[in-house]
Amino acid sequence: MTSIPHKIIGVAVIWNDQQQILIDRRRPQGAMGGLWEFPGGKIEPGETIEECIRREIAEELGIEIVVKDHLITIDHTYTQLRVTLTVHHCHLLSGIPQPLECEEVRWVSLDELENYAFPEANGQIIAALKSAEYKVLSAE
């Protein structure tokens, strides 16, 4: 059996002061094109997950965030790829999100997430957010 590539990805659930979450839509070309996702990206050698998330968000969206508590880690295998998503709650520090490496960005409420098409693995993030319902944020 050939082993399929494995990517370790830092994922940000970015909250603003209105309790909205930032999502972005993937470009139409490429894997899972046109689907919505929580922003993030592949960890570089020698980088912590927190550093990865901060760097990716600055590169992809042009904003500065603070990385907070770990929400969930998901191992998911697609046909051509295995991913480990390490998801953290984050908070917007400064800047206005720009779609630098995606089609568009949008602030949505937790309840609105169901109206958007996400890649399969993201369903577990949404479920975790709904079950956590701000407990993590108020626990600080």
Side-chain angles (χ1 to χ4, degrees), residues 89-129:
H89 284 287
C90 300
H91 196 83
L92 177 65
L93 274 183
S94 66
I96 293 169
Q98 310 291 321
L100 303 176
E101 294 186 14
C102 59
E103 200 63 21
E104 62 177 301
V105 293
R106 195 170 287 181
W107 289 105
V108 298
S109 71
L110 191 53
D111 294 336
E112 290 172 317
L113 286 173
E114 288 159 10
N115 305 335
Y116 296 89
F118 283 87
E120 206 179 316
N122 284 232
Q124 293 175 64
I125 301 174
I126 295 169
L129 282 170

Side-chain angles (χ1 to χ4, degrees), residues 9-30:
I9 303 196
V11 178
V13 173
I14 305 169
W15 297 86
N16 65 14
D17 293 335
Q18 289 75 52
Q19 296 299 317
Q20 293 171 306
I21 300 166
L22 188 67
I23 58 174
D24 68 69
R25 193 152 65 87
R26 300 172 75 103
R27 291 190 171 138
Q29 59 279 26

Side-chain angles (χ1 to χ4, degrees), residues 3-125:
S3 71
I4 59 174
H6 179 214
K7 289 185 182 174
I8 298 173
I9 303 196
V11 178
V13 173
I14 305 169
W15 297 86
N16 65 14
D17 293 335
Q18 289 75 52
Q19 296 299 317
Q20 293 171 306
I21 300 166
L22 188 67
I23 58 174
D24 68 69
R25 193 152 65 87
R26 300 172 75 103
R27 291 190 171 138
Q29 59 279 26
M32 296 176 261
L35 293 178
W36 290 86
E37 65 182 356
F38 297 98
K42 212 167 53 176
I43 192 162
E44 301 288 346
E47 212 174 30
T48 66
I49 283 288
E50 289 83 357
E51 289 166 343
C52 164
I53 292 173
R54 270 194 305 273
R55 175 184 54 76
E56 285 284 349
I57 297 311
E59 287 173 6
E60 289 181 13
L61 301 166
I63 56 174
E64 194 184 346
I65 57 165
V66 58
V67 179
K68 304 248 191 174
D69 300 350
H70 173 255
L71 171 67
I72 189 174
T73 298
I74 297 162
D75 237 338
H76 188 85
T77 305
Y78 292 102
T79 319
Q80 307 297 332
L81 174 71
R82 188 174 141 233
V83 293
T84 300
L85 306 176
T86 303
V87 186
H88 279 263
H89 284 287
C90 300
H91 196 83
L92 177 65
L93 274 183
S94 66
I96 293 169
Q98 310 291 321
L100 303 176
E101 294 186 14
C102 59
E103 200 63 21
E104 62 177 301
V105 293
R106 195 170 287 181
W107 289 105
V108 298
S109 71
L110 191 53
D111 294 336
E112 290 172 317
L113 286 173
E114 288 159 10
N115 305 335
Y116 296 89
F118 283 87
E120 206 179 316
N122 284 232
Q124 293 175 64
I125 301 174

